[in-house]
Amino acid sequence: MTTSSPGTAAPVRPDQTRTSAPVLQVDGLVRVYGDLRAVDGVSLRVDPGETFGLLGPNGAGKTTTILMIAGLLRPDAGSVHVAGTDMAADPIRAKGHLGLVPQELAIYPELSARDNLRFFGRLQGLRGTRLKTRVEEVLELVGLEDRSRKPSKTFSGGMKRRLNIGIGLLHEPTLLILDEPTVGVDPQSRHAILESVATLTEAGMAVLYTTHYMEEAERLCDRIAVMDEGRVQAQGTRDELVELVGDADVVVLAGGGALEVAEAAVEVLPAVQRVTRDAEGLRLTVRGAPTAIAGIVTAATDAGMSLHDVQITRPDLESVFLHLTGRALRD
Ligand SMILES: Nc1ncnc2c1ncn2[C@@H]1O[C@H](COP(=O)(O)OP(=O)(O)OP(=O)(O)O)[C@@H](O)[C@H]1O
Ligand SMILES: [Mg+2]
C-alpha cells in the first residue's frame, strides 16, 4: 500500500518549540510611492529555525517588504526587529544577523564562483582561515565545487542564482532572506536550491522566502503569509490557511473486497463527511484527512476491504488565494 498526495504533498515536519524569542518581528510596515501604498501595514514574525513564506503575485509588495526588513529601504511607518535588535536604532547590529539574497543577481560575472565568495566574504568582515573555510563550505552547500574556478558569466541561470544564495550565507546569518530565488531557473537548479534551503533550516537557520509559486511555499514553508496589494491577507501554517476555505480533503481508498461493508464502516467515523462507491473503490470527503487516515484505513480493512492504494488530495493555497482575493495567484 502506498499513501500519496498527488501534486500537493504537505511537508511533514517535526514539532518545533515556539517558546524562544522571534528571529524576526515586523510590525505595521508601510511604504508609500505617490498614490500607491506598496506595503500597507505588514506585520509578521519568524521563529528560530522556521521557514516562513511570503506568497503573493507580481506587485504584491514582497520585495518592498523584504528591502525594509533588510534595512535597505526606510519604512514610512512600522518597525523591524532582527534577533531582538531594532533595525532603525542599530542597523549594523541588526543587519549582522541576516543574509539577503536579492531578486536581482548581484555577482561579478568576470570572477569565478570562489573569487566572488572571497570578495563578498571580505565585505562581510570574514578574514583568514575562517573566510577560507566558509568559502569551501558554501561552495559545497550550493553544489558549485566542480565549477568553482570558472568565471561566473559562463554559468547557467540556475548556477548564478546558487552562487547568489551562497553569498548570502557566508557569514552564517541567523535569518536568510531569499527573494524569489527560483524565478528563471532550470528544473535541476530549482531542485538544488530547494534542497539547500531545506538543509539550512534543518541546521537551525531561519528562512524568509518570497515566492509566487504556491508549490514552493507548500513544500518548504512552516508558515506562510499570503500577500496581495501591499497587505498580508492571511497567515498561518498551510493547513490553517487551507481551513479558511473550508474545503474538506478527498480520500480515495482504491481496492476491492467487501466494499459495501467498508462503506458503512467508514461512514460513521466522525471525520468522514461523505462516502461514495465507484469502480476504483471508495471516495470520501474528510475533515483533516492526515490525522484521520489511520482510523479510516483500519475501519475499511477490518470491514473486509482489500486496499491497493490510498490517496489524499487536499485543497491547496491556490484555492486559499482565490478565496481571499477573488483572483488567481498565477498570472
Ligand atoms: N521604487 C519604486 N517606485 C515606485 N513604485 C514602486 C517602487 N518599487 C516598487 N513599486 C511598486 O510597488 C508595488 C510592489 O512592488 P514589489 O516589487 O514590492 O512587488 P513584488 O511582490 O516583489 O512583485 P514581483 O513578484 O513582481 O517581484 C508595485 O506596484 C511596484 O510597481
Ligand atoms: Mg519582487
Side-chain angles (χ1 to χ4, degrees):
M1 186 184 81
T2 56
T3 305
S4 59
S5 327
T8 60
V12 178
R13 289 181 184 277
D15 277 339
Q16 287 173 2
T17 25
R18 299 271 179 240
T19 47
S20 35
V23 169
L24 177 68
Q25 177 84 47
V26 171
D27 293 296
L29 272 191
V30 174
R31 178 74 192 197
V32 180
Y33 293 113
D35 291 341
L36 177 74
R37 296 180 75 82
V39 174
D40 191 11
V42 165
S43 300
L44 48 91
R45 185 197 80 236
V46 180
D47 288 319
E50 183 177 47
T51 306
F52 189 95
L54 204 50
L55 175 70
N58 293 134
K62 303 182 297 295
T63 298
T64 309
T65 302
I66 292 295
L67 291 176
M68 290 191 282
I69 290 173
L72 298 175
L73 187 67
R74 200 179 41 77
D76 291 315
S79 67
V80 173
H81 287 81
V82 189
T85 304
D86 186 344
M87 181 60 78
D90 193 349
I92 292 175
R93 195 181 155 97
K95 285 180 195 175
H97 292 294
L98 56 84
L100 173 68
V101 181
Q103 189 165 4
E104 305 297 331
L105 287 173
I107 56 178
Y108 286 100
E110 303 297 331
L111 295 184
S112 69
R114 188 174 259 109
D115 286 342
N116 264 291
L117 290 171
R118 281 193 190 126
F119 174 78
F120 285 102
R122 274 189 218 104
L123 280 190
Q124 294 167 11
L126 303 179
R127 299 282 183 275
T129 328
R130 170 132 165 83
L131 175 62
K132 230 174 141 186
T133 314
R134 280 306 289 160
V135 167
E136 297 313 312
E137 283 172 359
V138 165
L139 280 171
E140 192 191 331
L141 187 69
V142 297
L144 288 175
E145 313 100 303
D146 296 351
R147 302 285 294 269
S148 67
R149 292 182 199 284
K150 302 267 192 310
S152 57
K153 67 181 176 193
T154 66
F155 286 6
S156 70
M159 292 166 73
K160 286 179 187 157
R161 204 149 267 290
R162 276 142 70 188
L163 178 55
N164 210 38
I165 293 174
I167 290 166
L169 288 171
L170 280 164
H171 65 300
E172 297 183 90
T174 323
L175 172 70
L176 183 69
I177 303 175
L178 295 157
D179 195 0
E180 308 222 32
T182 60
V183 169
V185 156
D186 58 278
Q188 196 190 340
S189 284
R190 182 167 184 245
H191 182 73
I193 288 168
L194 296 179
E195 287 294 305
S196 51
V197 171
T199 309
L200 291 167
T201 53
E202 273 158 32
M205 188 181 286
V207 173
L208 176 58
Y209 191 99
T210 89
T211 183
H212 61 268
Y213 296 125
M214 170 197 87
E215 303 83 358
E216 291 186 359
E218 294 213 328
R219 174 171 158 191
L220 277 180
C221 299
D222 300 306
R223 285 190 305 125
I224 299 156
V226 177
M227 196 167 177
D228 191 38
E229 295 182 338
R231 293 206 186 104
V232 171
Q233 307 289 339
Q235 61 182 305
T237 64
R238 180 230 177 255
D239 289 353
E240 285 165 357
L241 290 172
V242 166
E243 273 190 17
L244 296 174
V245 188
D247 283 352
D249 308 324
V250 175
V251 172
V252 176
L253 302 179
L259 283 183
E260 251 174 88
V261 190
E263 183 182 356
V266 295
E267 208 162 35
V268 297
L269 297 173
V272 176
Q273 296 182 329
R274 197 159 51 89
V275 188
T276 52
R277 218 169 349 120
D278 59 24
E280 216 185 338
L282 301 179
R283 187 175 299 269
L284 295 68
T285 49
V286 179
R287 273 230 159 262
T291 321
I293 191 69
I296 292 170
V297 167
T298 307
T301 49
D302 284 357
M305 182 173 178
S306 56
L307 276 177
H308 306 316
D309 195 19
V310 176
Q311 284 178 11
I312 305 176
T313 311
R314 315 189 59 193
D316 58 21
L317 291 176
E318 182 72 45
S319 30
V320 174
F321 193 81
L322 190 70
H323 174 74
L324 291 170
T325 69
R327 299 187 295 110
L329 183 56
R330 288 159 217 268
D331 18 44

